Amino acid sequence: MLFENQHPHNKAIMIAVLGKPNVGKSSFINHLLGFDLTIVSSKPQTTRNQFHCAFTIDRTEVVLVDTPGVHSTPQELNKRMNGQAQLGAEGVDLNFVLLDLTTDVVAEFRDFLKNFDAPLERTWVVFTKADLVNKDVPGIAPVLVKLQELCPSIERHFVISSKDGHNIHELTGAIQDAAKNAPHLYPGGDASNMNERFFATEYIREQAFRLLKEELPYEVAVVIDEYKDVKQKDSEQTEAHISASILVNRPSQRAIVVGRGGSVIKEIGVTARKKIEAMTGGKVHLNLHVKVSPKWMSNNYVLDEIGLPRTQKSARVWRKK
Ligand SMILES: Nc1nc2c(ncn2[C@@H]2O[C@H](COP(=O)(O)OP(=O)(O)O)[C@@H](O)[C@H]2O)c(=O)[nH]1
Ligand SMILES: [Mg+2]
């Protein structure tokens, strides 16, 4: 094993964070990281790509792989999102399957397994949203027996809350114990394998999810047209100049995203800019446009551009002539 320029006692572990949409995967990851790297919303299917979220505890590097919620779907965009969840679980040391305690967890787990096409090896079940239920969760033992019948690779379980931190300490201790002696993947302290450009699109989309209603958030994609770091006169500081397009599916949606007198797009821009500034640590100029891109949700070029490659389940590819 190569420990080039790294402490020989370094430990590392990579964990896929899996589950149905809206069970609290991204919230759990942010809670462990200690800051809001990955986007969260009350609407399902917010996360579309799989990516690394890394942090260290003493000499242990923990890489959590955030993944889109696994669900049944005929839609190409969503098939590719499911594909991302499978990809996120490839080659990890451990899988965490998150189950939302406010739902029928056995039915939810069965449904997750039905739509998750990769084999689940070492698995820990993480019951989430304990703050919303009786924390002693009576009857967890018979539930676990049922879950283990469905998936014999379940090794352990934790009942946690990302809102009030219930049992998070116990879980991070167990993660540390499970980590093996290995070099760190991000010795320079990077928090992700995705760059600022990717997170800028995520933070814009997060605001679109917050402000738009009904089906509209799902019909929105964000692409960066230009991302320039401009050096400031008489200082070492740079400013990020970002132009991004919000793609919508239909002309009528364009008007809604722009809003009366541009009010909605302005609010998306102002709020997203603040979060991008917090990430880059410098000033950001954010220019947003809304573009109609009919059927982008099954357009290979757009799906590739937003980091969602074809999967084995991809039905058809729509190509421009
Ligand atoms: N009360 C409570 N709400 C939570 C908890 N974890 C997540 N949520 C909420 O559940 C919703 C979905 O969370 P998110 O992390 O985006 O779920 P994901 O789709 O699985 O990534 C959001 O409204 C979160 O605020 C929790 O531990 N307690
Ligand atoms: Mg998520």
Side-chain angles (χ1 to χ4, degrees):
M1 201 176 294
L2 211 61
F3 271 89
E4 256 178 44
N5 302 325
Q6 287 198 27
H7 197 286
H9 293 161
N10 275 0
K11 287 169 67 178
I13 187 163
M14 191 180 285
I15 304 168
V17 179
L18 305 166
K20 300 250 306 160
N22 226 29
V23 294
K25 297 177 292 302
S26 300
S27 303
F28 167 71
I29 290 173
N30 285 342
H31 191 94
L32 260 59
L33 286 176
F35 67 101
D36 291 343
L37 176 67
T38 171
I39 66 172
V40 166
S41 100
S42 57
K43 302 182 178 82
Q45 296 162 31
T46 312
T47 307
R48 287 180 179 160
N49 308 74
Q50 58 93 15
F51 55 90
H52 291 177
C53 302
F55 65 100
T56 52
I57 322 169
D58 303 329
R59 293 220 164 274
T60 305
E61 177 191 70
V62 182
V63 177
L64 300 173
V65 187
D66 199 3
T67 64
V70 171
H71 57 292
S72 131
T73 175
Q75 167 80 254
E76 180 62 17
L77 164 69
N78 300 63
K79 282 182 184 170
R80 293 189 187 203
M81 284 160 58
N82 279 346
Q84 287 283 295
Q86 263 116 241
L87 200 64
E90 259 176 36
V92 295
D93 302 303
L94 208 53
N95 295 297
F96 281 6
V97 177
L98 272 56
L99 296 173
D100 179 343
L101 282 171
T102 64
T103 66
D104 176 346
V105 288
V106 176
E108 294 290 294
F109 189 53
R110 194 175 285 123
D111 200 48
F112 164 78
L113 290 174
K114 204 172 76 195
N115 293 298
F116 189 76
D117 290 328
L120 273 182
E121 286 171 9
R122 298 187 58 194
T123 300
W124 295 6
V125 168
V126 180
F127 295 102
T128 60
K129 309 193 187 180
D131 57 295
L132 296 178
V133 297
N134 177 356
K135 284 188 184 159
D136 298 330
V137 201
I140 203 95
V143 165
L144 259 172
V145 170
K146 286 187 191 157
L147 298 179
Q148 265 158 340
E149 277 168 15
L150 296 169
C151 174
S153 62
I154 295 175
E155 294 176 356
R156 305 188 62 164
H157 76 280
F158 290 84
V159 175
I160 63 116
S161 164
S162 306
K163 277 267 142 62
D164 66 12
H166 182 69
N167 275 340
I168 293 287
H169 192 67
E170 287 72 8
L171 179 50
T172 46
I175 293 173
Q176 240 179 318
D177 292 343
K180 296 266 158 50
N181 196 225
H184 291 182
L185 200 54
Y186 300 102
D190 282 350
S192 183
N193 55 343
M194 294 300 216
N195 56 20
E196 290 176 342
R197 206 180 150 102
F198 169 77
F199 286 106
T201 66
E202 287 290 274
Y203 299 157
I204 297 164
R205 213 162 49 75
E206 183 176 40
Q207 295 312 316
F209 263 71
R210 184 172 69 83
L211 292 168
L212 304 173
K213 294 196 176 63
E214 291 160 16
E215 288 308 303
L216 192 44
Y218 306 105
E219 305 203 358
V220 159
V222 179
V223 293
I224 300 281
D225 300 316
E226 192 173 30
Y227 192 124
K228 269 191 315 203
D229 282 316
V230 180
K231 202 178 160 309
Q232 292 308 97
K233 262 193 220 142
D234 312 322
S235 104
E236 286 303 300
Q237 298 249 313
T238 55
E239 281 183 7
H241 289 213
I242 307 170
S243 282
S245 294
I246 300 180
L247 307 187
V248 293
N249 209 17
R250 278 176 277 132
S252 58
Q253 296 172 334
R254 187 178 184 282
I256 303 172
V257 177
V258 171
R260 189 168 299 192
S263 59
V264 176
I265 189 147
K266 187 166 174 217
E267 162 104 32
I268 293 175
V270 168
T271 330
R273 176 176 52 75
K274 285 187 188 144
K275 196 155 166 182
I276 301 168
E277 282 178 340
M279 166 179 69
T280 61
K283 211 167 154 28
V284 168
H285 293 269
L286 179 60
N287 223 324
L288 292 179
H289 314 270
V290 188
K291 283 188 194 152
V292 183
S293 177
K295 297 198 190 149
W296 71 260
M297 289 128 92
S298 48
N299 180 324
N300 199 37
Y301 294 101
V302 177
L303 295 173
D304 276 354
E305 168 82 28
I306 61 174
L308 298 177
R310 272 176 68 79
T311 70
Q312 282 183 338
K313 289 210 164 169
S314 288
R316 68 198 170 89
V317 183
W318 187 83
R319 289 189 191 282
K320 262 188 200 152
K321 291 256 160 57

